[in-house]
């Protein structure tokens, strides 16, 4: 499986400009890299995130996003992990990731479950209530959004369900990029899986975002990383045989002591 991660500099609170750019970058990635999967960053339709007029700017029930990705994936014969968009859900607003197959079918919808309270995301958005696992070309995959990466019980739960590739879509600030680099490698190593990170770059509102998109193998080796913080595309081939090799040689899943773990305590 070849994956391309798109590092996008989105225009704050300008959905029309961002939809045009996202389509342009997906087309560019497919033409130049010939990937099986393309990935976008978090809240690429608005940036993170305009407090004023949020509801009116959001994608109505996600319809614009779903229409774009359904037609593009079918036309370009590529799987799309659509980062995330700000969208309405009735009278609520959600931070939502859509995943589409090569045939244009909607495979998964994931609403961000851990909302970033330091920037009041929890005051404006509705929390998600489910995990997201799906298959792309026969490979078991999952997606999480930005702040979710700080909760290892989330990714371990998904790994125990058989996930081999985790897509992390984020709008992570420049000031905390060392955290992101450490957390993504840790999640890949501890769960013995591939991890594909698509982070945003540029400035959104008052915050500067840090790029550093990367693709990591189950040993924690960085297969591809973004040089600098500009808008660009990275790609890597994911050899699924690596997963079998590492899990046979260091079988952390069979050596777990689940009877000792209680992650539900407050």
């Amino acid at each position: 499986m070849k994956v391309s991660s798109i590092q996008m500099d989105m225009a704050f609170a300008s959905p029309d400009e961002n939809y045009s750019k996202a389509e342009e970058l997906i087309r560019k990635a497919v033409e130049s890299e010939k990937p099986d999967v393309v990935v976008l960053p978090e809240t690429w339709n608005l940036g993170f995130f305009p407090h004023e007029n949020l509801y009116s700017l959001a994608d109505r029930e996600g319809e614009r996003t779903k229409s774009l990705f359904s037609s593009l994936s079918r036309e370009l014969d590529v799987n799309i992990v659509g980062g995330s968009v700000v969208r309405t859900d009735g009278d609520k607003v959600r931070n939502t990731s859509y995943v589409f197959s090569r045939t244009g079918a909607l495979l998964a919808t994931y609403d961000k479950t851990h909302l970033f309270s330091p920037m009041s995301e929890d005051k404006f958005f509705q929390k998600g209530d489910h995990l997201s696992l799906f298959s792309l070309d026969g490979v078991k995959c999952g997606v999480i959004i930005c702040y979710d990466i700080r909760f290892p019980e989330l990714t371990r739960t998904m790994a125990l369900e058989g996930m081999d590739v985790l897509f992390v879509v984020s709008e992570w600030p420049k000031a905390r990029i060392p955290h992101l680099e450490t957390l993504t490698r840790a999640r890949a190593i501890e769960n013995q899986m591939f991890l594909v990170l698509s982070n945003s770059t540029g400035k959104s509102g008052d915050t500067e975002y840090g790029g550093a998109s990367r693709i990591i193998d189950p040993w924690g080796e960085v297969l591809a990383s973004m040089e600098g913080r500009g808008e660009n595309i990275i790609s890597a081939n994911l050899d699924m045989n690596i997963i079998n090799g590492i899990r046979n040689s260091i079988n952390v899943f069979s050596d777990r002591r689940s009877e000792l773990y209680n992650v539900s305590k407050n």
Side-chain angles (χ1 to χ4, degrees), residues 60-124:
R60 288 286 169 273
E61 306 297 325
E63 291 304 323
R64 182 175 185 179
T65 305
K66 289 185 283 188
S67 176
L68 173 65
F69 288 158
S70 180
S71 61
L72 265 184
S73 59
R74 186 169 55 251
E75 175 194 343
L76 301 176
D77 187 30
V78 69
N79 301 291
I80 297 177
V81 178
S84 78
V85 294
V86 179
R87 60 104 176 182
T88 64
D89 179 16
D91 62 349
K92 308 292 186 183
V93 178
R94 295 185 184 270
N95 184 345
T96 299
S97 181
Y98 295 112
V99 179
F100 280 82
S101 73
R102 297 176 182 274
T103 64
L106 177 61
L107 298 178
T109 299
Y110 172 67
D111 301 315
K112 189 176 183 180
T113 53
H114 299 92
L115 302 181
F116 192 55
S117 57
M119 291 181 70
S120 299
E121 187 180 14
D122 58 323
K123 302 293 193 301
F124 291 84

Side-chain angles (χ1 to χ4, degrees), residues 5-26 39-48 170-172 198-205 207-213 226 228-233:
S5 174
I6 296 171
Q7 186 162 288
M8 179 175 169
D9 182 357
M10 65 280 295
F12 191 68
S14 300
D16 289 343
E17 182 176 344
N18 291 325
Y19 277 93
S20 294
K21 178 180 279 191
E23 179 176 353
E24 176 186 341
L25 288 169
I26 290 171
V39 192
L40 287 166
E42 182 186 16
T43 54
W44 56 263
N45 65 329
L46 297 183
F48 193 89
S170 67
E171 194 157 359
W172 198 282
S198 172
N199 194 32
S200 60
T201 187
K203 196 168 185 179
S204 185
T207 305
E208 189 172 0
Y209 292 91
S213 299
M226 203 70 73
R229 292 189 298 107
E231 191 170 78
N232 213 330
I233 300 163

Side-chain angles (χ1 to χ4, degrees), residues 9-254:
D9 182 357
M10 65 280 295
F12 191 68
S14 300
D16 289 343
E17 182 176 344
N18 291 325
Y19 277 93
S20 294
K21 178 180 279 191
E23 179 176 353
E24 176 186 341
L25 288 169
I26 290 171
R27 290 185 180 279
K28 179 180 178 182
V30 171
E31 181 179 359
S32 61
E33 302 294 319
K34 305 294 189 294
D36 300 297
V37 187
V38 293
V39 192
L40 287 166
E42 182 186 16
T43 54
W44 56 263
N45 65 329
L46 297 183
F48 193 89
F49 62 93
H51 292 193
E52 295 183 9
N53 303 319
L54 180 68
Y55 188 88
S56 63
L57 288 169
D59 184 12
R60 288 286 169 273
E61 306 297 325
E63 291 304 323
R64 182 175 185 179
T65 305
K66 289 185 283 188
S67 176
L68 173 65
F69 288 158
S70 180
S71 61
L72 265 184
S73 59
R74 186 169 55 251
E75 175 194 343
L76 301 176
D77 187 30
V78 69
N79 301 291
I80 297 177
V81 178
S84 78
V85 294
V86 179
R87 60 104 176 182
T88 64
D89 179 16
D91 62 349
K92 308 292 186 183
V93 178
R94 295 185 184 270
N95 184 345
T96 299
S97 181
Y98 295 112
V99 179
F100 280 82
S101 73
R102 297 176 182 274
T103 64
L106 177 61
L107 298 178
T109 299
Y110 172 67
D111 301 315
K112 189 176 183 180
T113 53
H114 299 92
L115 302 181
F116 192 55
S117 57
M119 291 181 70
S120 299
E121 187 180 14
D122 58 323
K123 302 293 193 301
F124 291 84
F125 290 81
Q126 188 78 6
K127 292 179 182 177
D129 59 5
H130 64 274
L131 306 183
S132 183
L133 294 166
F134 47 90
S135 290
L136 297 178
D137 296 346
V139 176
K140 192 83 171 270
C141 303
V143 63
I144 63 174
I145 301 174
C146 201
Y147 190 42
D148 286 334
I149 194 74
R150 289 188 180 271
F151 299 87
E153 57 269 41
L154 173 65
T155 48
R156 174 49 59 92
T157 299
M158 297 166 76
L160 290 171
E161 293 293 327
M163 177 178 63
D164 290 331
V165 180
L166 175 64
F167 295 97
V168 182
V169 302
S170 67
E171 194 157 359
W172 198 282
K174 177 184 176 184
R176 292 189 292 278
I177 285 297
H179 289 195
L180 184 61
E181 292 172 339
T182 300
L183 290 165
T184 50
R185 288 191 75 189
R187 297 295 90 83
I189 292 168
E190 70 196 8
N191 292 299
Q192 300 179 326
M193 65 187 183
F194 289 96
L195 187 147
V196 181
L197 167 68
S198 172
N199 194 32
S200 60
T201 187
K203 196 168 185 179
S204 185
D206 296 327
T207 305
E208 189 172 0
Y209 292 91
S213 299
R214 53 188 46 214
I215 302 171
I216 305 169
D217 80 3
W219 291 102
E221 297 296 323
V222 178
L223 302 178
S225 62
M226 203 70 73
E227 298 296 331
R229 292 189 298 107
E231 191 170 78
N232 213 330
I233 300 163
I234 55 170
S235 301
N237 286 298
L238 312 186
D239 181 358
M240 296 301 147
N241 292 320
I242 293 175
I243 292 177
N244 294 330
I246 189 172
R247 290 179 182 172
N248 287 332
S249 61
I250 309 174
N251 200 329
V252 297
F253 290 98
S254 65

